[in-house]
Amino acid sequence: MIDVVDRYYSFNKYLKEKYGKRVQKITIDAAFTCPNRDGRLSFGGCVYCDVFGSGSGASLRSESIEEQVKKGAEVARRRYKTDYFIVYFQAFTNTYGPISHLETLYDRAISEASRYGKVVGLAVGTRPDCVPDEVLDLLASYSDDLEVWVELGVQSIHYRTLKLINRQHGVAEIVDSISRVKAKGLKVCVHIIFGLPGETKLDMLETVRVMAALGIDAIKIHPLYVVEGSVLHKWLQAGRYKAISMEDFVDVVVESISVLPPTVVIQRLTGEAPSGMLVAPLWTSNKQMVRRAIEDELVRRNTYQGIGFKVGLSVDELKPFSS
Ligand code: SF4
């Protein structure tokens, strides 16, 4: 749980409470693709998609899973002094493949990481329309030994936005995937984006409120950044899109924190583009600065996670109002 001094419930705090020490994610790019890029749904992808599918690009450099695990474990040991790991399949759509193939990849990464320390979790990033029950059953089969996180790219709860950014799925897939992931006893972490074209602050906050109402376990908040060569880049050049300012981003993140239940783990407060590819907004390249600005603003407003969490009337309010 948070205490007010922290003002929000960070992933590091959650992991430290649970395991008594720092736990580090080892990110894996297992050369998956995405149905929104390979032609199954579209060839174009989401308008902001980068060539690495939000991953490290390791598979493009032909790095094996074993090499990636070794590197990740070394960084964890050297920089963070830990040998407790969560194996995180990050790039593209990590449930998009035959079940036997998925199982082989997950097993390989877990078993390799176990050579360097203790694996406490498996996290798999995917789209809300790519988690059929058979995949969830496979993921659930790991949950006796590990905590299993399904990281869903939700981005927005607004259908018009999803259409505009070419997600190729709707709101139904978001609600359905979250409820089925939870029903299997797996943990759900949603990724959302602030600064999507056409969205107001209220739209963004409503996405957060709906996520809270659906009972998510964790959230990652990203500012929308424009990368070289993306569709969004063309929109920016044509004056069709204006990037969110840091001030507006900090403002909406701080309010989002206040409307999230205190038990929801905040895995990320900001994000950055792959190195050398960022076009706008340039402030996103300094994650420490953005995180500090958010934390300073929480203190300045004397607010904290959960203070504004409310869905509907409370039981005490279920009586006619008379002034
Ligand atoms: S779902 Fe992810 S990998 Fe697929 S097109 Fe969208 S951003 Fe790219």
Side-chain angles (χ1 to χ4, degrees):
M1 292 286 286
I2 56 157
D3 85 47
V4 177
V5 178
D6 295 331
R7 298 196 180 259
Y8 65 93
Y9 192 22
S10 70
F11 198 35
N12 276 344
K13 184 171 171 64
Y14 161 81
L15 293 167
K16 209 149 192 193
E17 279 172 0
K18 188 158 178 183
Y19 300 104
K21 63 189 287 186
R22 176 150 186 142
V23 178
Q24 195 59 32
K25 271 186 176 171
I26 295 180
T27 57
I28 307 287
D29 174 346
F32 281 100
T33 177
C34 170
N36 203 15
R37 292 172 56 114
D38 73 357
R40 181 166 294 280
L41 298 172
S42 93
F43 286 106
C46 305
V47 296
Y48 48 79
C49 189
D50 63 64
V51 289
F52 303 131
S54 305
S56 62
S59 68
L60 288 178
R61 297 190 298 272
S62 304
E63 277 178 30
S64 68
I65 287 180
E66 288 71 17
E67 286 168 312
Q68 294 176 55
V69 168
K70 183 168 188 273
K71 270 192 191 170
E74 279 168 6
V75 170
R77 191 181 295 271
R78 198 177 56 245
R79 196 178 300 164
Y80 303 109
K81 317 277 177 251
T82 189
D83 55 0
Y84 273 35
F85 311 123
I86 292 175
V87 171
Y88 175 31
F89 283 79
Q90 181 186 38
F92 296 102
T93 303
N94 296 278
T95 56
Y96 186 44
I99 302 287
S100 57
H101 180 61
L102 301 178
E103 187 171 16
T104 304
L105 295 178
Y106 302 157
D107 284 350
R108 258 175 72 189
I110 293 166
S111 113
E112 186 64 15
S114 304
R115 296 181 51 220
Y116 298 95
K118 186 172 169 58
V119 180
V120 299
L122 168 67
V124 174
T126 186
R127 292 166 49 93
D129 56 354
C130 287
V131 283
D133 282 340
E134 293 79 356
V135 167
L136 296 182
D137 286 337
L138 170 65
L139 290 170
S141 71
Y142 293 93
S143 57
D144 281 346
D145 304 319
L146 307 174
E147 59 175 280
V148 181
W149 287 89
V150 180
E151 301 206 11
L152 295 169
V154 164
Q155 325 309 6
S156 168
I157 203 70
H158 303 285
Y159 176 70
R160 279 188 176 69
T161 307
L162 298 175
K163 197 150 177 54
L164 184 64
I165 63 177
N166 195 39
R167 283 294 296 178
Q168 296 286 336
H169 66 74
V171 178
E173 283 74 17
I174 294 171
V175 175
D176 169 67
S177 57
I178 292 175
S179 64
R180 284 188 302 101
V181 170
K182 285 174 64 68
K184 296 283 183 192
L186 305 170
K187 290 182 180 294
V188 57
C189 173
V190 296
H191 294 218
I192 61 165
I193 298 180
F194 289 157
L196 288 165
E199 290 211 343
T200 64
K201 177 179 169 185
L202 282 181
D203 293 332
M204 300 176 219
L205 283 174
E206 192 59 7
T207 293
V208 177
R209 293 184 70 250
V210 172
M211 292 300 104
L214 288 171
I216 57 166
D217 298 290
I219 193 165
K220 285 185 178 175
I221 300 173
H222 305 253
L224 181 59
Y225 46 72
V226 183
V227 295
E228 193 79 45
S230 62
V231 175
L232 198 60
H233 187 191
K234 291 196 187 78
W235 290 5
L236 187 81
Q237 286 170 322
R240 259 186 83 186
Y241 172 70
K242 187 169 175 288
I244 191 168
S245 69
M246 180 167 147
E247 193 183 29
D248 287 348
F249 180 73
V250 169
D251 177 42
V252 70
V253 171
V254 166
E255 283 200 39
S256 299
I257 290 171
S258 75
V259 301
L260 281 168
T263 48
V264 170
V265 180
I266 299 182
Q267 288 206 18
R268 184 175 292 167
L269 281 175
T270 187
E272 66 187 339
S275 120
M277 294 181 67
L278 178 68
V279 175
L282 295 180
W283 55 265
T284 56
S285 64
N286 191 338
K287 280 202 302 187
Q288 270 73 17
M289 174 187 74
V290 180
R291 195 175 316 113
R292 252 197 324 273
I294 293 165
E295 289 170 354
D296 287 351
E297 193 60 14
L298 285 164
V299 172
R300 198 186 70 76
R301 296 187 196 178
N302 193 21
T303 191
Y304 52 88
Q305 187 173 339
I307 192 172
F309 172 59
K310 191 170 194 293
V311 181
L313 296 178
S314 70
V315 69
D316 294 336
E317 291 167 320
L318 292 181
K319 56 186 181 221
F321 181 74
S322 58
S323 55

